[in-house]
Amino acid sequence: MFVNIGEDYVISSSELLSIIEYQIFMSSDTNRLLLDKISKEDGLLIINEQVKKSVILLEGDKKIFAIISPVSVSTIANRFVNFNDYYDNYLSEGD
């Protein structure tokens, strides 16, 4: 399943590790060090420099990636839930 995380960006649920509120994530020294390491390995994407609401951690090709999104954690979670409801109620009827 794919979910929009802001502007024209989508993520796959199969690669998702976690979605964390930006302010909470950045309040930890350990998390800031992790983000710095990911950035140095060209694994960081900041969708919007002015609006930072969530940090999304993904794993792909045996590498950790981070995306800083302008979309809140609750909105992204609702998009996952709404897709699952849509799938369960409409797309899976033909199974």
Side-chain angles (χ1 to χ4, degrees):
M1 161 178 28
F2 294 91
V3 172
N4 182 289
I5 56 166
E7 299 181 19
D8 292 331
Y9 295 93
V10 295
I11 59 169
S12 169
S13 62
S14 65
E15 297 175 336
L16 180 64
L17 296 175
S18 67
I19 306 170
I20 307 160
E21 184 181 327
Y22 178 78
Q23 293 298 332
I24 292 172
F25 186 89
M26 296 305 286
S27 68
S28 163
D29 291 338
T30 303
N31 288 346
R32 286 195 305 275
L33 287 172
L34 173 64
L35 209 55
D36 187 50
K37 182 179 186 295
I38 291 170
S39 178
K40 287 178 181 173
E41 296 172 355
D42 295 324
L44 176 63
L45 169 66
I46 302 172
I47 295 175
N48 185 318
E49 288 287 343
Q50 287 74 40
V51 182
K52 298 176 181 178
K53 293 186 179 180
S54 61
V55 177
I56 302 163
L57 297 177
L58 306 163
E59 182 179 22
D61 298 326
K62 299 180 182 179
K63 183 177 175 182
I64 302 295
F65 297 92
I67 301 171
I68 298 177
S69 171
V71 179
S72 72
V73 172
S74 60
T75 299
I76 295 170
N78 283 332
R79 289 176 182 176
F80 275 109
V81 169
N82 289 338
F83 180 86
N84 285 334
D85 287 344
Y86 177 76
Y87 180 83
D88 291 342
N89 293 320
Y90 300 103
L91 298 181
S92 64
E93 287 179 358
D95 292 341

